[in-house]
Amino acid sequence: MGSPIYRSSTTAPVNIAVIKYWGKRDPTLNLPTNSSLSVTLSQSDLRTHTTASASPSYPSEKGDTLLLNGSPQDVTGARTQACFRELRALRATLESKDSSLPKLSTFPLRIVSENNFPTAAGLASSAAGFAALVRAIADLYELPASPTELSRIARQGSGSACRSLFGGYVGWEQGSATDGSDSVAFEVAPASHWPTMRAVILVVSAAKKDVSSTSGMQTTVATSSLFSARANETVPRRMQEMQRAIKEKDFEAFGKVTMVDSNSFHATCLDTWPPIFYLNDVSRAAIKVVEAINKRAGKIVAAYTFDAGPNAVIYYEAENEKEVAGLFKGVLGDKDGWQGERGSAVQENKEAEASAREEVGGAIELLKEGVSRVILTGVGEGPVKTEESLIDGEGNVVKA
Amino acid sequence: MGSPIYRSSTTAPVNIAVIKYWGKRDPTLNLPTNSSLSVTLSQSDLRTHTTASASPSYPSEKGDTLLLNGSPQDVTGARTQACFRELRALRATLESKDSSLPKLSTFPLRIVSENNFPTAAGLASSAAGFAALVRAIADLYELPASPTELSRIARQGSGSACRSLFGGYVGWEQGSATDGSDSVAFEVAPASHWPTMRAVILVVSAAKKDVSSTSGMQTTVATSSLFSARANETVPRRMQEMQRAIKEKDFEAFGKVTMVDSNSFHATCLDTWPPIFYLNDVSRAAIKVVEAINKRAGKIVAAYTFDAGPNAVIYYEAENEKEVAGLFKGVLGDKDGWQGERGSAVQENKEAEASAREEVGGAIELLKEGVSRVILTGVGEGPVKTEESLIDGEGNVVKA
């Protein structure tokens, strides 16, 4: 009989910030210069599935391994190592208190991960990736750690990953401790509080990112003369406004703060030296179309936000699906992404399209040319433990 | 014998700011929220030619008239009226002191104006226009007013016009008086101090401006949370840096401040609600190409700046003409604008083009697609009195 193979599997969600994280006060610990807030997106549409396993039979000379979408990943980077080290230390503490526990902390880790969305889409996959990695290892190690505690660890892997430990509406407190102990995620409201939040993501075909967010944000901190006003004055005020908007399910306030904060973040990128541009003409066309939708509605029913790339994420409430997603189905119905359950349910709205064409015809054409696919999703839950394992009982990768 | 026709003619230059004016603390008097600084461009390339005339024979029921490029203009707007009123008051004072003077202040004004550049190019023609208007009327009225005093009047017509009363390198002091008496232009250095400053303007084909600068800047003041940091902290510091750079003819410092200030201005536009976008993908391509030029040179030899539109103005020194204008001639040699004396003198630089293509090939292609013409120019003089009149001795418009 071989050595035991210990395994645990989880899925974890993507989150898209409505108040953006940009700038680190400590680049090693990923401690941010400002708090941020995001919506966790449904795992039916976007998720990372990760199995963590440990075994005395795994060859120690190979060390810890990680396979992502079939490709071996380098785990020697400081960020991944920080997560492994913190989780192992917590496990070792348990083992030292209960000698009957198997010494998992001493075994190599074998981790297998898969995304259910194209990595090339330029979505924030590292957040889901590190959240799943940390959650899966924590489950494997049977750590009694809360999502808040795990968020502190996941943050060291990728800042925004800390927010993917929770479902619904999630804040990340910047904290003030130099060791980062108080820089953790917290639940603003569960998905069930405001379950009608939807999002349509317009994936914009673009050459690869000019500037990675890791190096970009530090250049902003070092060179933008407007950045400190954003970090120290604007964001703290908006964090309060946004939490109130979510608690009261006030979409107009939610949408307005979401849009101005995205613009403010990209403004500080433009104010960076050399300037960083993530928005392109297609992104701006999406903004114009959202403005036309809101003008037609006479109030804010759609809200755009852009991460460090040209893709538009457009939030709306289910009751306005026809006015928002319906318009995009009219314009972009021939693109990939409408086949699923959510996409099929959207009613194409040719009337809204015609109305937007009158307002911003050029923008509609630019979207048709520049959007390569759409993703329909909505607010969702945090990480979920699953029995579906990507590693079999022999420690081998399960073939898809 | 008919009544006398009094006439005076002047030409006035365009200026392109290197520290931008954006935001008014008093929209009626055009008092700015921050000081600004510009380079006056040569009138051989870009100028407004204006003849101002007055006569007791002009029908008083028609009032004052202005013909621009052959089209009658509305002069009843508050800004034009403010200029007329101020100049007439100064003339009336002279007349009251010397009764032998003809009572020009009581006669209708007939003004004819012509630009030597396409208005459609989206260049800051209102600056040259109001500077020429004010200078021509002041000459007609034989006012003993200095350029500084006239700048206070021209400012009320169009803020940036005040800087076109001087040649060379020109500042505009924001001032603090509520009546605007100290918000005037001043000479930082004459053109002769640093005569080797050149500029190539890339005119970008674009639909008409989304948002006029007049309404845009007030929306920024009212809504941007980053704007006050720019106006109160960033610009005052840069005004000092820029004046030092000009005094020391330090192009690297001049170029760096020019570029970061343009980016900062456009960042506050993006931070406006709703956001204002003047830069498009072609503008960004110009930025990328300038970055490639500077990288190849190992220092800043070219500096971009953008006003409230997508056109790129790229400053450089004459000694680097081949590296800067030569590259653009290589890329854009088939566009309009290379025919003149300056353009013909530029040596096409295919080597620099090839090098930029390796760095930023996509940007080079975007420029070829999106630039409709180029204008080559350099630092130049302030308004110049001319005997060439656009109105004949009978008070009629001289046909071109």
Side-chain angles (χ1 to χ4, degrees), chain B residues 252-318:
Chain B
E252 287 215 63
F254 170 91
K256 171 83 185 284
V257 175
T258 295
M259 294 187 275
V260 295
D261 196 73
S262 174
N263 294 335
S264 159
F265 151 50
H266 290 281
T268 64
C269 290
L270 174 47
D271 190 51
T272 299
W273 180 258
I276 303 170
F277 296 98
Y278 292 121
L279 305 181
N280 65 19
D281 283 354
V282 180
S283 315
R284 277 201 296 284
I287 291 176
K288 294 291 168 198
V289 172
V290 168
E291 288 176 345
I293 289 171
N294 290 334
K295 187 176 172 189
R296 183 175 138 96
K299 60 180 181 177
I300 293 173
V301 296
Y304 56 76
T305 186
F306 299 83
D307 277 353
N311 295 342
V313 176
I314 298 161
Y315 286 112
Y316 61 96
E317 286 183 285

Side-chain angles (χ1 to χ4, degrees), chain B residues 225-270:
Chain B
S225 75
L226 306 179
F227 178 75
S228 69
R230 167 174 167 74
N232 301 330
E233 294 159 34
T234 307
V235 169
R237 177 166 41 78
R238 287 187 187 148
M239 282 295 290
Q240 297 310 312
E241 290 169 8
M242 184 57 95
Q243 288 177 74
R244 187 203 59 75
I246 290 167
K247 276 168 186 156
E248 299 176 10
K249 292 182 265 188
D250 175 351
F251 189 87
E252 287 215 63
F254 170 91
K256 171 83 185 284
V257 175
T258 295
M259 294 187 275
V260 295
D261 196 73
S262 174
N263 294 335
S264 159
F265 151 50
H266 290 281
T268 64
C269 290
L270 174 47

Side-chain angles (χ1 to χ4, degrees), chain A residues 19 236-246 253-254 257 260:
Chain A
I19 294 183
R237 176 168 40 79
R238 286 187 187 147
M239 282 294 290
Q240 297 308 313
E241 290 169 8
M242 185 56 96
Q243 287 177 74
R244 187 205 59 77
I246 290 167
F254 171 91
V257 176
V260 295

Side-chain angles (χ1 to χ4, degrees), chain B residues 194-199 251 301 315-326 342 345-346 377-379:
Chain B
W194 196 2
T196 51
M197 184 65 73
R198 299 285 179 277
F251 189 87
V301 296
Y315 286 112
Y316 61 96
E317 286 183 285
E319 64 183 28
N320 295 311
E321 181 177 82
K322 191 175 173 190
E323 289 306 311
V324 185
R342 283 192 202 267
V346 173
T377 184
V379 64

Side-chain angles (χ1 to χ4, degrees), chain A residues 215-276:
Chain A
S215 72
M217 63 173 75
Q218 287 320 88
T219 313
T220 301
V221 173
T223 66
S224 167
S225 74
L226 305 178
F227 177 75
S228 70
R230 167 173 167 75
N232 301 329
E233 294 160 33
T234 308
V235 169
R237 176 168 40 79
R238 286 187 187 147
M239 282 294 290
Q240 297 308 313
E241 290 169 8
M242 185 56 96
Q243 287 177 74
R244 187 205 59 77
I246 290 167
K247 274 168 187 155
E248 297 175 12
K249 294 181 263 189
D250 175 351
F251 189 88
E252 288 215 62
F254 171 91
K256 172 83 185 284
V257 176
T258 295
M259 293 187 275
V260 295
D261 197 72
S262 174
N263 294 335
S264 159
F265 151 49
H266 290 281
T268 64
C269 290
L270 175 48
D271 190 51
T272 299
W273 181 257
I276 302 171

